[in-house]
Amino acid sequence: MSLNDRDALAVLHAALDPDDANGLIGRFYTRWFSFEASPRDLFPPDMAAQRAAFAQALKWLYGELVAQRSQEPVAFLAQLGRDHRKYGVRPEHYQTLGQALYATLREALADAWTDTVDAAAQQSLNLITGVMSGAAEAEQGPAWWDGTVIEHLRVSRDIAVVRLQLDSPMPYHAGQYVNVTVPQCPRRWRYLTPAIPPDETGAVEFHVRAVSGGLVSNAIVNETRPGDRWRLSSPHGALEVNRDGSDVLMVAGSTGLAPLRSIIMDLTRWADNPRVHLFFGGRYPCELYDLRTLWQIASHNPWLSVSPVSEFSGDPAWAADYPDVTPPRGLHVRQTGRLMDVVTRYGNWGDRQILICGGPNMVRATVDALATKGAAPERIQHDPLSR
């Protein structure tokens, strides 16, 4: 039975609490590093984010196995294995990982550990480690791409535009995101989205906002300098516009503009596209940092229209220290209010392809507001909220 024994799998699923990542998962990492010291050097000094991410992933995986859904978990594990090559994970690490997780689960379940649970644990852990290691071994592409920062532009108090030249071009689709590590924060990875389509010369651009408590984002905005060497992992994500489909609504909050900007730039390769209406929002008018670029694109591509939105009508005093982002005349008049309120003021956009990008709270609020108005959830695309 094993992987078909839903009751036994449910016992394992119940033992995993993503809100207690320092509990069972913390003990797992301690045991793993005692089995083999070398994996510890692959992770950042502060393991809190890693423990939380692994706890959430395991909970989801076992939930899918209990529901007898295997297609998405196998695809997820394969991508995870390919992506973990960037850490320097070796095949033998998967063996000790499986042993440590098995021992930790058995200890945590104690009297609830039966022969059927044991069989389900062994088979499920063989699946996890086998798919990840097999996908990593089969992948022929690079484990990472290195590049040099050639320009760092501070466009607002907490927003920077960073341009790199990669040593070799990285293949990705417009709208996908990558994992990035920077020299100021070694072994700490953060997801960023290229703001331009793939470039055959290896040029790439990122828009980064410093978030409160965000070690990597603050380092990028405040400390990055030309000449810094960055490392990028394989691309992820599936945001896209179906050029043969209906017209498009795009909603971008702050640096959530990056993936939508990349898709829009990619669409300029064709003269015939669906109509695209982009709402670009920020707290203050001065934080609509890329309006001039959007104006230039819209002025040459009649299928694109842009609505700037700011929560406040005026700029704070510190705006004088940064470049003026006011575009020439030609864009729609800037509107004031919360982004989701302005967007839904025009209806539910239910006949459109809908792409939403920004912070998790902004995305959730906008999705909920559109759904409340009647937009079909299956027509709404956004990146995972816990990348």
Side-chain angles (χ1 to χ4, degrees), residues 305-325:
S305 56
V306 180
S307 291
V309 180
S310 64
E311 293 185 30
F312 302 97
S313 58
D315 284 328
W318 54 257
D321 297 334
Y322 299 96
D324 179 14
V325 299

Side-chain angles (χ1 to χ4, degrees), residues 293-337:
T293 301
L294 297 173
W295 180 87
Q296 291 172 349
I297 297 173
S299 67
H300 292 94
N301 295 275
W303 47 264
L304 175 65
S305 56
V306 180
S307 291
V309 180
S310 64
E311 293 185 30
F312 302 97
S313 58
D315 284 328
W318 54 257
D321 297 334
Y322 299 96
D324 179 14
V325 299
T326 306
R329 294 176 62 86
L331 280 176
H332 291 183
V333 175
R334 181 179 54 80
Q335 301 177 66
T336 303

Side-chain angles (χ1 to χ4, degrees), residues 46-54:
D46 182 0
M47 289 285 293
Q50 177 67 28
R51 287 193 296 266
F54 190 54

Side-chain angles (χ1 to χ4, degrees), residues 223-371:
E223 302 172 23
T224 292
R225 297 291 182 269
D228 285 356
R229 295 284 288 173
W230 285 21
R231 176 161 289 180
L232 285 59
S233 78
S234 302
H236 302 268
L239 280 180
E240 63 176 357
V241 166
N242 178 3
R243 292 186 56 249
D244 297 322
S246 58
D247 291 339
V248 182
L249 167 68
M250 294 183 174
V251 184
S254 188
T255 52
L257 175 67
L260 303 182
R261 179 189 195 262
S262 179
I263 292 172
I264 288 170
M265 286 184 166
D266 191 56
L267 289 173
T268 63
R269 294 185 295 155
W270 295 276
D272 185 19
N273 285 308
R275 289 182 303 160
V276 177
H277 194 111
L278 168 67
F279 286 87
F280 175 33
R283 291 172 300 180
Y284 303 102
C286 66
E287 291 186 328
L288 303 175
Y289 63 93
D290 208 35
L291 278 181
R292 294 196 177 195
T293 301
L294 297 173
W295 180 87
Q296 291 172 349
I297 297 173
S299 67
H300 292 94
N301 295 275
W303 47 264
L304 175 65
S305 56
V306 180
S307 291
V309 180
S310 64
E311 293 185 30
F312 302 97
S313 58
D315 284 328
W318 54 257
D321 297 334
Y322 299 96
D324 179 14
V325 299
T326 306
R329 294 176 62 86
L331 280 176
H332 291 183
V333 175
R334 181 179 54 80
Q335 301 177 66
T336 303
R338 294 190 305 169
L339 187 56
M340 65 178 185
D341 294 336
V342 173
V343 171
T344 55
R345 192 181 298 160
Y346 295 89
N348 68 9
W349 303 88
D351 60 339
R352 306 292 179 103
Q353 303 177 63
I354 302 174
L355 283 70
I356 305 173
C357 296
N361 292 336
M362 169 265 171
V363 172
R364 289 190 188 96
T366 306
V367 169
D368 290 345
L370 287 167

Side-chain angles (χ1 to χ4, degrees), residues 75 77-86 94 132 135-136 139 142-143 234:
L77 289 167
Q79 181 59 53
L80 205 60
R82 290 189 289 267
D83 198 42
H84 270 58
R85 295 179 304 145
K86 69 178 183 287
Y94 288 107
M132 288 182 67
E139 179 60 43
S234 302

